Each structure stands twice: as structure tokens, then as C-alpha cells.
Amino acid sequence: MVIEFHRELDARGLNCPLPILKTKKALADMASGQILRVTATDTGSVRDFQAFAKQTGNDLLSQSQENQEFIFFMKRK
């Protein structure tokens, strides 16, 4: 499945809570309905992004793992 996105965030090498903080800042600069692609390497980011989506109302459209990287697609509320 290919998801088209409007902006990309590279959070590789960052540990909790930086991937979420950078995602929050990036989403704040985007319009409602736009999609952000985030790449992270922190293993805790899977749990963090799920909680972030629930707390903020932004949609976690997809999450996947490729080798040691986690890919998230977040839709701005």
C-alpha cells in the first residue's frame, strides 16, 4: 500500500521523547488533513506514536517496520 504524504520527518537516531516532540511540532505547521511520514529507530516509538494519536486526535494511518526503522504515517486532525 502506497500512502502519499505532504511532509517527511527523519527522527532516526533520536530517543524518546524527541521523535514525538518533533512530530508534534511538524504537525502543528501542517494544514488539517495533510499527512506526515515519520521514520524513527527508537523501539519505544511504536507505543509512543499509538499513545500520541489517541491523546491528540491525529490519525495514525499506518505503522510498519523495515529492518531497524519504523515508518509512521500521521494525518493532521
Side-chain angles (χ1 to χ4, degrees):
M1 173 173 93
V2 175
I3 298 176
E4 292 190 24
F5 55 93
H6 301 90
R7 190 166 171 190
E8 188 166 17
L9 173 64
D10 183 355
R12 290 178 282 203
L14 301 177
N15 293 318
C16 182
L18 289 176
I20 291 296
L21 292 176
K22 288 190 174 282
T23 296
K24 183 177 180 180
K25 186 175 188 310
L27 286 170
D29 293 337
M30 296 171 67
S32 180
Q34 288 190 317
I35 296 173
L36 174 67
R37 180 186 195 267
V38 182
T39 305
T41 50
D42 182 11
T43 55
S45 62
V46 173
R47 179 182 64 249
D48 294 342
F49 273 85
Q50 291 170 349
F52 176 74
K54 284 183 182 176
Q55 291 173 356
T56 63
N58 294 299
D59 290 331
L60 178 58
L61 300 177
S62 171
Q63 64 182 30
S64 61
Q65 183 176 356
E66 295 176 12
N67 299 317
Q68 301 301 315
E69 296 181 348
F70 302 95
I71 313 294
F72 304 95
F73 287 92
M74 299 285 305
K75 184 177 183 181
R76 171 86 154 91
K77 65 177 177 182

